[in-house]
Amino acid sequence: SAVISQKPSRDICQRGTSLTIQCQVDSQVTMMFWYRQQPGQSLTLIATANQGSEATYESGFVIDKFPISRPNLTFSTLTVSNMSPEDSSIYLCSGGVGLTDTQYFGPGTRLTVL
Amino acid sequence: GQQVMQIPQYQHVQEGEDFTTYCNSSTTLSNIQWYKQRPGGHPVFLIQLVKSGEVKKQKRLTFQFGEAKKNSSLHITATQTTDVGTYFCAGVRMDSSYKLIFGSGTRLLVRP
């Protein structure tokens, strides 16, 4: 198994600013993903964080808005840029040890944009 | 695009009653995983099903994967208040993307 930590756990931000969320895994994982979850809703995949290369984004998500880094196998960041109230959500990262293995989720970052 | 739907959306049961949530994919899945998310928490992995027609049990929980690998179910026998939470199925696509497509979730409430 893997233990995943995220920081910050929550933040309240002003419209137009940016926030970078960090995700740290306690062991090397092959795959890392970033999700968004609105209250009471399911998880929506934002992108796959690729080590040493550009992330792979899902439809509706773009690099300019959600730049992602993954410099090594245990760490990734997601930036929410030029925030608006519509970006208020919980952002979760996940990691999997194998290519089709189970995903271990971080505790999430609760973002509120005023 | 590929969708994974779950029914029901909500289920409110009396403690001791059984509970079942159903998961249906628009396309064939490589495998399916089930997660539980407690209120205020993050999704926690429960189980993975890989083979067509597979059935797995974890104490009071029974998981099934359909023969066509497009549907799955989770059945809880004699629910307890500790079962409260949202149950998500998540399908792994057949292509090489290894992405999890999460179902819409079923929220379970248990009356003591």
Side-chain angles (χ1 to χ4, degrees):
Chain A
S1 65
V3 176
I4 299 182
S5 59
Q6 280 183 243
K7 57 180 181 181
S9 58
R10 59 178 63 227
D11 207 342
I12 300 173
C13 302
Q14 295 297 320
R15 181 195 300 260
T17 62
S18 297
L19 175 72
T20 295
I21 303 168
Q22 297 181 5
C23 178
Q24 179 73 54
V25 190
D26 69 342
S27 57
Q28 292 188 347
V29 291
T30 306
M31 311 296 288
M32 290 186 75
F33 301 95
W34 286 96
Y35 293 85
R36 183 168 70 183
Q37 185 177 31
Q38 304 281 5
Q41 302 296 314
S42 185
L43 285 77
T44 300
L45 181 62
I46 297 172
T48 304
N50 300 309
Q51 185 202 357
S53 64
E54 191 172 291
T56 305
Y57 291 84
E58 297 300 302
S59 175
F61 298 95
V62 295
I63 188 172
D64 290 346
K65 176 67 176 177
F66 297 101
I68 289 171
S69 77
R70 189 180 173 192
N72 55 54
L73 287 174
T74 63
F75 184 77
S76 179
T77 66
L78 167 74
T79 299
V80 186
S81 304
N82 189 26
M83 288 183 285
S84 66
E86 292 71 33
D87 294 321
S88 297
S89 188
I90 298 172
Y91 292 84
L92 299 121
C93 69
S94 72
V97 176
L99 291 178
T100 57
D101 207 346
T102 64
Q103 290 291 311
Y104 298 95
F105 282 84
T109 296
R110 184 179 296 271
L111 170 63
T112 302
V113 184
L114 303 176
Chain B
Q2 181 177 5
Q3 290 187 336
V4 179
M5 303 302 295
Q6 275 183 260
I7 55 171
Q9 186 177 6
Y10 300 99
Q11 187 80 57
H12 202 175
V13 301
Q14 185 72 41
E15 187 173 22
E17 292 181 339
D18 293 354
F19 160 77
T20 304
T21 173
Y22 299 92
C23 177
N24 292 285
S25 169
S26 57
T27 60
T28 303
L29 300 170
S30 171
N31 65 71
I32 197 158
Q33 301 174 14
W34 284 90
Y35 291 80
K36 177 183 178 181
Q37 185 174 26
R38 295 181 184 274
H42 60 275
V44 175
F45 171 79
L46 293 177
I47 208 160
Q48 176 173 264
L49 303 169
V50 180
K51 299 177 183 177
S52 170
E54 189 170 14
V55 178
K56 287 188 177 180
K57 293 190 176 183
Q58 287 181 350
K59 298 182 179 178
R60 294 179 294 105
L61 278 61
T62 302
F63 304 84
Q64 292 187 329
F65 200 10
E67 293 290 340
K69 300 184 76 172
K70 295 177 70 173
N71 56 71
S72 181
S73 66
L74 159 59
H75 179 81
I76 302 178
T77 303
T79 55
Q80 300 175 359
T81 55
T82 53
D83 295 326
V84 165
T86 301
Y87 293 84
F88 292 100
C89 64
V92 177
R93 291 153 53 144
M94 290 291 285
D95 61 21
S96 59
S97 65
Y98 309 111
K99 301 175 188 176
L100 278 177
I101 307 300
F102 274 79
S104 45
T106 296
R107 184 179 176 188
L108 173 63
L109 302 173
V110 180
R111 291 189 299 270

